[in-house]
């Protein structure tokens, strides 16, 4: 098995200005390396899963935070698009 850990925060703000923030996953990672198991954040992935996929990747998000797409029919999708277009038109007309 391969242990994966996703660092969401490293103690610094994302972006060009990297100022300190309170959220920091690195102390937790250092303290519990390979013993932490948190669903969708730190888990062991069996090596068989690597070979079952159509391509090989060690990206932790691919295995721990896998999001499956939701399929919808064409008509409801078009209705959603019509609503979004109406909202945009309404917002632009108010400007």
């Amino acid at each position: 098995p391969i242990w994966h850990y996703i660092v969401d925060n490293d103690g610094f703000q994302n972006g060009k200005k990297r100022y300190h923030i309170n959220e920091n996953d690195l102390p937790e990672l250092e303290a519990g390396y390979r013993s932490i198991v948190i669903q969708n954040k730190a888990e062991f992935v069996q090596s068989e899963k690597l070979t079952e996929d159509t391509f090989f990747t060690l990206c932790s998000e691919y295995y721990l935070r896998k999001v499956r797409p939701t399929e919808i029919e064409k008509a409801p999708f078009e209705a959603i698009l019509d609503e979004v277009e109406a909202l945009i038109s309404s917002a632009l007309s108010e400007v």
Side-chain angles (χ1 to χ4, degrees), residues 86-95:
L87 289 171
I88 292 172
S89 295
S90 174
L92 291 175
S93 66
E94 293 176 5
V95 174

Side-chain angles (χ1 to χ4, degrees), residues 12-75:
F12 294 91
Q13 175 66 33
N14 291 335
K16 292 181 181 180
K17 296 182 180 180
R18 301 270 297 156
Y19 56 88
H20 286 278
I21 60 173
N22 292 333
E23 294 84 17
N24 188 351
D25 294 337
L26 298 179
E28 176 185 60
L29 173 61
E30 185 178 21
Y33 173 68
R34 295 185 65 182
S35 65
I36 301 172
V37 175
I38 303 169
Q39 188 174 8
N40 298 329
K41 184 170 180 71
E43 298 179 42
F44 282 96
V45 175
Q46 298 302 318
S47 58
E48 292 82 26
K49 284 190 175 185
L50 296 170
T51 58
E52 290 171 1
D53 291 326
T54 55
F55 62 96
F56 295 105
T57 181
L58 291 177
C59 178
S60 298
E61 278 90 359
Y62 181 77
Y63 295 103
L64 302 184
R65 294 185 179 162
K66 197 169 206 171
V67 176
R68 307 245 186 258
T70 303
E71 293 186 22
I72 61 173
E73 297 295 322
K74 184 177 179 181

